[in-house]
Amino acid sequence: QVRLVESGGGLVQAGGSVRLSCKASGRTFDRAYVMAWFRQAPGKEREFVAANGGSIGITYYADADSGKGRFTISRDNAKNTVYLQIDTLAAEDTAVYYCAADDAPRTIRSPYGYDYWGRGTQVTVSS
């Protein structure tokens, strides 16, 4: 049984930063295992933020044209943990952030590609 537990959310001021963590348990996650972050704002669909993994350890971000932007995904395989750093927070970043994992996602940027999910951590950005 794979279990993912997110942490690090909370109330953050606009312009600030937050670092979210996702601890995985139930199996050993080597770097080939794809770990991803999604977010869901009230009344909106769950959207892709970032992912890392695969056979050659590629990192993916939502906006391929701009690269990393304000989001940085990283992972510590020894700790079975993936992180999401969000800088220059804005009100539109307010959402529940979910961690997802899969050994071979059908699609990297779609929530339908992942079999395992955490319960999410709320990030609320105040102005």
Side-chain angles (χ1 to χ4, degrees):
Q1 183 74 18
V2 175
R3 185 167 182 247
L4 304 174
V5 179
E6 302 94 337
S7 61
L11 181 63
V12 189
Q13 283 197 333
S17 298
V18 68
R19 189 192 195 204
L20 307 179
S21 300
C22 172
K23 173 73 173 177
S25 61
R27 60 158 288 165
T28 299
F29 290 83
D30 62 24
R31 67 177 182 178
Y33 216 84
V34 179
M35 305 290 291
W37 288 96
F38 288 78
R39 67 182 183 180
Q40 188 165 18
K44 295 187 177 181
E45 293 185 351
R46 193 167 298 190
E47 65 175 359
F48 174 78
V49 177
N52 174 268
S55 59
I56 55 176
I58 295 177
T59 294
Y60 305 82
Y61 290 97
D63 187 346
D65 293 334
S66 65
K68 292 197 302 181
R70 298 183 296 112
F71 300 90
T72 303
I73 188 171
S74 61
R75 62 195 289 170
D76 185 337
N77 291 321
K79 295 181 179 180
N80 278 2
T81 301
V82 63
Y83 306 96
L84 181 69
Q85 175 83 19
I86 312 173
D87 297 317
T88 319
L89 282 156
E92 55 264 33
D93 295 318
T94 294
V96 178
Y97 285 74
Y98 295 92
C99 177
D102 202 286
D103 59 351
R106 293 175 291 280
T107 56
I108 294 291
R109 294 183 170 91
S110 169
Y112 299 104
Y114 296 83
D115 287 336
Y116 305 110
W117 290 86
R119 293 188 174 184
T121 185
Q122 175 73 47
V123 174
T124 302
V125 182
S126 64
S127 57

